[in-house]
Amino acid sequence: MNHLLNVQLLLLTILLQYGAVTSQVNPGVCRYPLGMSGGQIQDEDISASSQWSESTAARYGRLHFEEGDGAWCPEITVEPDNLKEFLQIDLRSLHFITLVGTQGRHAGGIGNEFAQMYKIKYSRDGSRWISWRNRQGKQVIEANRNAYDIVLKDLEPPIIARFVRFMPVTDHSMNVCMRVELYGCEWLDGLVSYNAPVGEQMKLSDQPVYLNDSVYDGAIIHSMTEGLGQLTDGVCGQDEFTKSHVYDAWSGYDYVGWNNESFPDGFVEIMFEFDRTRNFTSMKVHCNNLYSRHVKAFRQVVCFFRSDSDWEAAPLTFSPVMDEKNPSARFVTVNLANHMANAITCQFYFGDAWMLFSEITFQSDTAMYNTTLAPPKTRSPPNIQQEEDPTHKIDDSNTRILIGCLVAIIFILVAIIVIILWRQVWQKMLEKASRRMLDDELTASLSIQSEPFSYNPNPSGESSEPESNSAYEHIFPLGPDYQEPSRLISSSGTATSKSTATTVIQDGVPHYAEADIVNLQGVTGSNTYAIPAVTMDLLSGKDVAVEEFPRQLLTFKEKLGEGQFGEVHLCEAEGMQEFMNEEFLFDIPVDQPVLVAVKMLRSDANKNARNDFLKEIKIMSRLKDPNIVRLLGVCIYSNPLCMITEYMENGDLNQFLSRHEPEGQLALLSNAATVSFSNLCHMASQIASGMKYLSSLNFVHRDLATRNCLVGKKYTIKIADFGMSRNLYSGDYYRIQGRAVLPIRWMSWESILLGKFTTASDMWAFGVTLWEILNFCKEQPYSQLTDEQVIENTGEFFRDQKRQIYLPQPVLCPDSLYKIMLSCWRRNAKERPAFQEIHRALLELQP
Ligand code: DJQ
């Protein structure tokens, strides 16, 4: 995109520059900052009449700059009638200046000095200073009203100068500070002054036409000397010389004109002086040609050249073809045949009663903006070139500007079209990607943690390797936390490596989250887990950090759940106390049987299911946190393989909250069981704490939800992971083509669209879990939206055009808590809070 714009800008500048070569200066375009704020103007070129202190010296008078004490400030208070103070800028060469900007001093709130008004003085040679005046003759420029805002003022007429002074003006005595910028472009004509007879007044029957040079900045006594004015202001006159584009101008404003009766010799002589000796290629004179009013371009011009201090003997003569057919004003180009000169005097011979000029420009070799862009040098005789036919007026600067503008507009339109198309393609790609994401056999583990070493989840070698989805690689650059949306990590062709035996795998659909467990190894990056997977002897038990429990001490009580490869039973265990550490031992009578949950692998399970069960044991045995399901013991020396955890009598948090009500009138009346807000917070903070632990291991859960939390006595919580196939919760998982199953309502946008699973996406799910808790699990997240609409909403989260729908604030939920939820759903994963912070915040929330 940027490239496109750059190319455009380049073309635009080339175009405008080319235009500028022929018309020299275009005041509409010549508005570049000249280097106060940009730093191109050196400190030593900024000076002042005085300074209040070293830290408010002239060099601090740069617009936008905050350095020093924040601006230039003169030494003494500026008095209304004493204009002594000035800030001076030396531009090092002549510049055409069209705009000025000023700003005061605020110095981050400490200062409050600014110039309400100022005057401008300028000089081309550093000795003769000219006061700028507007067309009405007014010198004072209204400026700043506060210390902060930049005030820009167009200089009309523009000035041609090397030195510029800003002179603050006040109506009462006050401290003044200024920061300034000049805008314009280099004055490549090199013209320092023209001396000409004063323009005259034409008396038309209906109105007087003033053909004087009203903005001439030199001396005007009998003739105009040592100044520049309307002939160099960049504004060409119209065909009808009585009219002007300039607002508020009087009749004849654009032109300087002479009547032949005042010139007995038959010509008007103008002397042009330049900054240095230049090699002149041409002179262009913009002439009016309204022959019906006796105005015509000059009939002949005779030019004399002065190099050093001597005038060349042989003048150059040129007679343009007189045009009595076309009344348009035009540039007449005089080929100056590479004469070297620092001054030129030209005698313009009348072609009719009146001769009216609006612009005179000079092209000299040193003046070319860019030699490669300069128009080819003409080989025609050293005189003639007149653009007579208006349709071929390539020299007309207005036409060039127009063409430039048109081309620019076309480029901009093309760019807009490209942007629109590009965005559409991008959106399509995204949609496709998300589709594919969902469609593909992206199931169980959408991702393999990118960690120092990788672990083959399929040590048996019978299963498919995790495979990256190349479409994603093309569309999305793989960031550091990108996790390959791998294909199903299945242990065999027949079925999956389901290890959570409680889950009923109805149609062999694997649950993506279980691969986490499989992949926990290496997630912490610590070597304790770095066991070469393929050679790992799963049966040796040496990697399992949990002891073998004598299975004969388990007594079956009832079934808690069922899965494809096994079941979870409630059992009584004798002598379990030895296997528990202190935290479990409160209020358990010694030598009394304890209730435990036992996950068992069915004896007919195949080898892969068996391996996966052992792997789950291995991983679970490393997770040691009060808020995570904890292995108390295992039975792996004989079949059926078992793992044992403590019994959580209140089942999963979703069902638990569903059968409770918030404390209050309604609950009192209906005699329903209640949970206080404080206990809700207590449970939420335990989930945060468990997640804090998991995130410290870089363990990404990927299916955090109330349905995956167990509730024990006194609102204690342990995070589990049942898998997705419990019938009760099948509606929480989105099923694509009967294959991949994703808890989309809990998933971050980047997990759904980019296959990125991180602690930050767990944080998103935590926000949704909080929302469930505050709603007492009475409503599914986004219950009004279909699964497809939820995925569309995910696209809105991605696009971030304020069209995404957030879960609403639950009735019970205080603003502070809702703020926490919203922070979990920030688009930028990096901006989401850490579990550590959330845990602390929730502890503080509890009354
Ligand atoms: C993680 C798991 C326990 C099997 C139902 C009612 C109950 C158990 C990511 C880490 C955090 N934590 O757990 N991964 C995987 N496991 C489980 C379960 C919950 N399950 C499913 C139940 C269930 C109890 C207990 N009291 N009441 O069926 N796991 C492992 C488990 C089950 C039994 C023994 C050992 C482990 O989600």
Side-chain angles (χ1 to χ4, degrees):
M1 224 27 254
N2 276 343
H3 291 297
L4 199 85
L5 282 173
N6 282 344
V7 170
Q8 257 191 53
L9 272 175
L10 193 82
L11 282 165
L12 199 71
T13 26
I14 289 172
L15 252 154
L16 294 171
Q17 279 195 351
Y18 188 74
V21 168
T22 49
S23 67
Q24 252 8 230
V25 77
N26 174 353
V29 177
C30 173
R31 294 164 76 87
Y32 307 100
L34 295 181
M36 287 295 277
S37 43
Q40 296 90 333
I41 296 171
Q42 303 290 305
D43 279 348
E44 62 258 33
D45 293 332
I46 310 169
S47 55
S49 51
S50 71
Q51 63 192 41
W52 184 73
S53 66
E54 192 47 44
S55 55
T56 57
R59 64 176 181 281
Y60 299 115
R62 298 172 182 271
L63 201 84
H64 279 305
F65 262 56
E66 303 291 342
E67 260 81 303
D69 265 340
W72 162 70
C73 312
E75 188 182 4
I76 43 163
T77 315
V78 174
E79 306 291 340
D81 49 352
N82 185 9
L83 270 189
K84 278 202 310 215
E85 304 296 343
F86 62 81
L87 176 66
Q88 176 176 320
I89 299 151
D90 178 0
L91 294 167
R92 294 280 172 162
S93 63
L94 290 178
H95 280 73
F96 191 89
I97 301 159
T98 52
L99 184 69
V100 284
T102 56
Q103 197 180 12
R105 182 185 94 101
H106 58 82
I110 311 163
N112 188 29
E113 297 87 11
F114 52 90
Q116 295 173 314
M117 295 172 279
Y118 61 92
K119 289 185 184 181
I120 280 187
K121 278 196 174 185
Y122 61 96
S123 170
R124 288 187 274 275
D125 57 6
S127 64
R128 193 172 71 89
W129 288 88
I130 307 159
S131 295
W132 178 85
R133 311 166 173 271
N134 72 6
R135 296 205 169 92
Q136 282 72 39
K138 200 178 155 209
Q139 292 186 20
V140 173
I141 301 172
E142 301 273 334
N144 302 82
R145 301 191 157 244
N146 61 52
Y148 291 83
D149 297 327
I150 295 167
V151 173
L152 296 174
K153 290 282 168 178
D154 277 290
L155 288 181
E156 288 198 66
I159 58 183
I160 294 161
R162 172 178 159 177
F163 303 91
V164 178
R165 282 180 182 173
F166 287 82
M167 316 184 73
V169 175
T170 55
D171 54 11
H172 59 275
S173 134
M174 67 185 281
N175 289 323
V176 163
C177 299
M178 287 184 94
R179 286 180 282 170
V180 305
E181 178 63 286
L182 297 168
Y183 302 83
C185 56
E186 236 191 308
W187 175 240
L188 296 167
D189 279 46
L191 189 62
V192 183
S193 71
Y194 56 81
N195 299 353
V198 278
E200 297 174 76
Q201 206 188 98
M202 185 193 283
K203 288 189 182 72
L204 289 181
S205 51
D206 48 335
Q207 55 175 335
V209 185
Y210 302 96
L211 297 169
N212 61 333
D213 192 334
S214 52
V215 299
Y216 191 73
D217 64 8
I220 306 173
I221 305 160
H222 297 293
S223 61
M224 304 190 277
T225 49
E226 282 194 58
L228 294 174
Q230 278 185 285
L231 295 183
T232 51
D233 66 356
V235 183
C236 291
Q238 304 209 54
D239 299 350
E240 179 61 67
F241 57 81
T242 52
K243 295 200 180 93
S244 170
H245 284 304
V246 176
Y247 169 76
D248 233 14
W250 49 90
S251 174
Y253 174 82
D254 291 335
Y255 287 96
V256 184
W258 306 270
N259 182 259
N260 67 354
E261 280 174 24
S262 320
F263 298 86
D265 297 332
F267 60 81
V268 171
E269 189 176 87
I270 306 180
M271 179 167 95
F272 305 94
E273 286 188 289
F274 298 88
D275 53 353
R276 60 172 176 273
T277 302
R278 288 166 174 261
N279 179 356
F280 288 94
T281 51
S282 59
M283 167 175 74
K284 292 177 183 184
V285 186
H286 193 259
C287 310
N288 190 277
N289 201 49
L290 202 61
Y291 52 81
S292 57
R293 291 208 196 262
H294 303 289
V295 178
K296 264 194 220 127
F298 52 93
R299 169 170 63 81
Q300 187 180 53
V301 63
V302 178
C303 292
F304 301 85
F305 297 87
R306 187 188 73 189
S307 49
D308 301 323
S309 51
D310 306 320
W311 289 96
E312 273 177 28
L316 179 145
T317 307
F318 164 55
S319 311
V321 181
M322 298 311 288
D323 180 355
E324 299 220 3
K325 290 193 193 74
N326 175 13
S328 329
R330 79 272 318 276
F331 267 106
V332 178
T333 303
V334 181
N335 190 331
L336 297 180
N338 292 97
H339 275 272
M340 299 290 289
N342 58 20
I344 303 174
T345 298
C346 291
Q347 298 167 341
F348 297 91
Y349 284 83
F350 285 90
D352 208 327
W354 286 91
M355 197 157 60
L356 271 57
F357 297 165
S358 75
E359 283 293 296
I360 301 182
T361 70
F362 287 88
Q363 290 68 47
S364 54
D365 259 5
T366 46
M368 292 307 166
Y369 279 68
N370 182 338
T371 33
T372 52
L373 285 171
K377 281 196 197 107
T378 43
R379 295 202 181 279
S380 55
N383 315 18
I384 314 246
Q385 259 180 23
Q386 184 187 10
E387 294 89 37
E388 292 159 84
D389 180 355
T391 52
H392 292 110
K393 269 207 290 182
I394 50 153
D395 253 340
D396 190 318
S397 59
N398 285 337
T399 319
R400 286 192 174 275
I401 294 163
L402 206 77
I403 292 170
C405 289
L406 282 176
V407 173
I409 289 166
I410 290 167
F411 272 116
I412 289 163
L413 285 178
V414 169
I416 290 168
I417 292 167
V418 168
I419 292 169
I420 291 168
L421 285 177
W422 190 78
R423 282 189 53 156
Q424 275 178 354
V425 168
W426 170 252
Q427 266 178 23
K428 278 234 177 75
M429 280 182 2
L430 254 187
E431 271 160 28
K432 243 197 217 150
S434 52
R435 278 269 143 225
R436 196 186 289 233
M437 177 87 186
L438 302 167
D439 286 359
D440 240 348
E441 291 163 284
L442 240 201
T443 51
S445 57
L446 272 164
S447 57
I448 300 287
Q449 283 270 337
S450 47
E451 278 296 316
F453 63 92
S454 80
Y455 163 71
N456 179 355
N458 306 300
S460 58
E462 291 162 43
S463 53
S464 57
E465 277 286 300
E467 199 177 274
S468 86
N469 184 335
S470 60
Y472 284 87
E473 282 159 24
H474 291 308
I475 302 167
F476 311 107
L478 304 180
D481 50 1
Y482 177 83
Q483 304 181 24
E484 277 180 274
S486 62
R487 293 172 73 87
L488 163 66
I489 302 168
S490 72
S491 299
S492 68
T494 52
T496 66
S497 58
K498 266 321 265 187
S499 44
T500 36
T502 37
T503 51
V504 186
I505 304 171
Q506 289 141 330
D507 49 5
V509 178
H511 172 41
Y512 75 97
E514 78 204 52
D516 289 344
I517 301 169
V518 174
N519 287 323
L520 173 65
Q521 265 192 318
V523 168
T524 61
S526 103
N527 296 321
T528 43
Y529 297 108
I531 299 128
V534 190
T535 59
M536 182 177 77
D537 181 4
L538 287 163
L539 279 177
S540 75
K542 67 176 184 245
D543 301 317
V544 175
V546 162
E547 277 178 65
E548 177 79 9
F549 185 81
R551 68 173 65 243
Q552 64 279 6
L553 298 180
L554 292 171
T555 321
F556 172 84
K557 300 261 306 186
E558 65 183 69
K559 200 158 93 178
L560 291 171
E562 185 172 14
Q564 196 182 14
F565 297 105
E567 292 166 343
V568 176
H569 291 174
L570 171 64
C571 294
E572 260 178 16
E574 281 174 57
M576 185 49 90
Q577 281 81 352
E578 282 174 40
F579 290 81
M580 300 165 133
N581 34 2
E582 300 74 63
E583 56 171 304
F584 294 101
L585 287 175
F586 301 110
D587 53 47
I588 298 172
V590 189
D591 287 339
Q592 281 281 299
V594 269
L595 288 174
V596 290
V598 179
K599 181 171 166 174
M600 257 186 249
L601 184 72
R602 249 209 299 270
S603 41
D604 61 344
N606 65 25
K607 198 176 145 202
N608 296 311
R610 197 183 150 79
N611 275 346
D612 287 346
F613 194 88
L614 289 165
K615 266 183 269 163
E616 189 186 345
I617 287 178
K618 195 161 96 62
I619 289 147
M620 290 298 301
S621 71
R622 310 277 176 175
L623 298 179
K624 291 190 172 152
D625 182 84
N627 299 114
I628 304 288
V629 164
R630 162 79 142 268
L631 280 196
L632 300 175
V634 292
C635 315
I636 51 172
Y637 292 166
S638 61
N639 283 330
L641 300 180
C642 292
M643 54 179 129
I644 306 164
T645 190
E646 81 179 287
Y647 178 54
M648 303 287 281
E649 40 274 274
N650 283 308
D652 79 58
L653 177 60
N654 192 285
Q655 290 179 61
F656 175 76
L657 284 177
S658 299
R659 28 173 217 268
H660 286 80
E661 297 291 335
E663 278 180 337
Q665 287 288 309
L666 207 81
L668 270 176
L669 288 172
S670 64
N671 210 10
T674 61
V675 179
S676 66
F677 176 74
S678 135
N679 281 328
L680 290 183
C681 287
H682 178 50
M683 292 192 287
S685 79
Q686 290 178 75
I687 300 174
S689 180
M691 289 307 295
K692 186 171 96 182
Y693 171 75
L694 290 185
S695 65
S696 75
L697 301 178
N698 278 332
F699 184 107
V700 181
H701 189 294
R702 279 172 251 190
D703 195 10
L704 182 60
T706 53
R707 62 180 172 275
N708 274 328
C709 296
L710 287 170
V711 186
K713 288 194 187 80
K714 297 186 200 153
Y715 305 102
T716 54
I717 296 280
K718 282 180 193 291
I719 299 169
D721 189 355
F722 284 80
M724 51 85 233
S725 47
R726 282 177 294 173
N727 284 334
L728 188 57
Y729 301 112
S730 63
D732 291 344
Y733 296 90
Y734 181 57
R735 186 173 289 262
I736 305 111
Q737 293 171 5
R739 302 213 231 152
V741 178
L742 299 166
I744 51 170
R745 290 163 200 268
W746 280 260
M747 280 165 74
S748 68
W749 70 267
E750 74 273 10
S751 301
I752 294 177
L753 296 180
L754 309 177
K756 250 173 145 176
F757 287 86
T758 58
T759 294
S761 59
D762 273 355
M763 182 50 79
W764 184 295
F766 178 81
V768 182
T769 307
L770 253 185
W771 183 90
E772 288 186 272
I773 293 172
L774 272 294
N775 278 310
F776 276 77
C777 297
K778 302 283 197 281
E779 190 190 331
Q780 193 192 35
Y782 311 103
S783 58
Q784 327 290 37
L785 305 186
T786 64
D787 285 345
E788 286 70 25
Q789 287 170 328
V790 169
I791 289 175
E792 267 165 42
N793 192 37
T794 301
E796 295 302 342
F797 269 107
F798 167 74
R799 282 187 282 275
D800 205 19
Q801 291 164 342
K802 307 237 153 45
R803 290 206 294 254
Q804 64 270 48
I805 301 166
Y806 288 89
L807 288 169
Q809 181 168 1
V811 180
L812 272 184
C813 181
D815 289 349
S816 55
L817 197 53
Y818 189 54
K819 268 209 188 107
I820 293 180
M821 289 181 199
L822 291 177
S823 70
C824 297
W825 305 323
R826 287 186 188 140
R827 183 186 188 276
N828 183 348
K830 293 200 173 71
E831 287 173 12
R832 292 173 207 153
F835 280 108
Q836 171 119 28
E837 293 166 49
I838 291 293
H839 180 227
R840 206 183 315 119
L842 286 171
L843 285 181
E844 279 163 19
L845 248 179
Q846 285 175 57

